[in-house]
Amino acid sequence: MVAILPAIVVFAGAVAGSETPRKRSLIEDFGIKRMFGWPPNGHDVLRLMHEFDLVQIRAVGIAATRGNDAVRRFALEQAERAQQREAAIVRLNMFALLNIDFAADPSLLRRNELAGLQGEVGQAFIRDYTVNQKADIADTIGMLQRYLLNPDNDDVRRFAQQQLPLLQQAREELQRLQ
């Protein structure tokens, strides 16, 4: 760890050198902020929630052909919530004048998770789908909780407070699937 720490500090400095919302979100996405105890900012929250939503919307198509009834219902419900969240994120970005440039596709890591699910069927699919969902939902809940400890934007704070119980409910529903 001692040998890795200087590399992480240099990487974080290089990424954060010219402060842009995208670079700050990369620092959050790689877990560097979490490792140093830095809270995410409003841009991080909206950008990573957007990516989470992209995955939820795409996963419903995969679950429709590979999952059982319970998984299909769960995936559909999560995709519907993601679409509602996306509408709220777009409104928030516009009316709060945040000017966030959202990516059209999930990150390479998330796309690889989705691609891995496409090759599986039956119990293997259900197992991997629930494991991925559990990790994604837990990471998103953790990010929102960390943000709410030190919010930097009242509009994003209200959004995070609204989304947190919905994600906690999704986590409970997912537990019942397993």
Side-chain angles (χ1 to χ4, degrees):
M1 181 70 175
V2 174
I4 296 173
L5 188 57
I8 292 172
V9 170
V10 169
F11 174 74
V15 169
S18 58
E19 280 292 309
T20 65
R22 183 175 292 262
K23 287 184 179 179
R24 286 193 303 261
S25 291
L26 273 175
I27 293 171
E28 172 64 28
D29 200 23
F30 285 130
I32 295 170
K33 283 185 176 182
R34 189 175 22 224
M35 183 170 56
F36 287 109
W38 301 335
N41 59 32
H43 283 83
D44 296 333
V45 169
L46 295 183
R47 194 178 302 279
L48 294 173
M49 288 295 293
H50 169 72
E51 185 174 20
F52 175 77
D53 290 342
L54 290 176
V55 171
Q56 296 302 310
I57 291 167
R58 292 178 183 193
V60 71
I62 300 168
T65 60
R66 290 173 169 68
N68 61 19
D69 287 341
V71 167
R72 284 193 290 272
R73 277 192 302 275
F74 177 81
L76 182 60
E77 183 178 306
Q78 295 312 306
E80 289 170 354
R81 286 183 183 175
Q83 289 172 337
Q84 293 169 354
R85 232 183 342 261
E86 280 304 295
I89 288 171
V90 167
R91 282 191 308 273
L92 188 57
N93 189 37
M94 183 184 311
F95 295 121
L97 303 174
L98 297 172
N99 299 319
I100 300 172
D101 178 27
F102 293 109
D105 292 317
S107 69
L108 182 60
L109 180 65
R110 298 281 181 108
R111 285 193 311 254
N112 285 342
E113 285 177 13
L114 289 168
L117 290 175
Q118 289 176 337
E120 295 182 348
V121 293
Q123 283 305 114
F125 169 81
I126 293 168
R127 180 193 63 240
D128 287 351
Y129 174 81
T130 55
V131 165
N132 287 348
Q133 284 291 309
K134 187 176 180 181
D136 286 349
I137 291 171
D139 288 347
T140 304
I141 288 172
M143 176 196 57
L144 292 177
Q145 289 172 333
R146 288 186 6 258
Y147 176 74
L148 290 171
L149 292 174
N150 190 22
D152 65 346
N153 182 301
D154 286 337
D155 295 324
V156 177
R157 178 186 52 79
R158 280 189 293 278
F159 173 77
Q161 287 173 329
Q162 291 168 351
Q163 296 307 311
L164 195 55
L166 296 173
L167 290 166
Q168 290 168 333
Q169 179 184 1
R171 180 178 54 192
E172 291 169 10
E173 291 169 12
L174 188 60
Q175 291 296 332
R176 287 191 291 271
L177 282 179
Q178 292 179 324

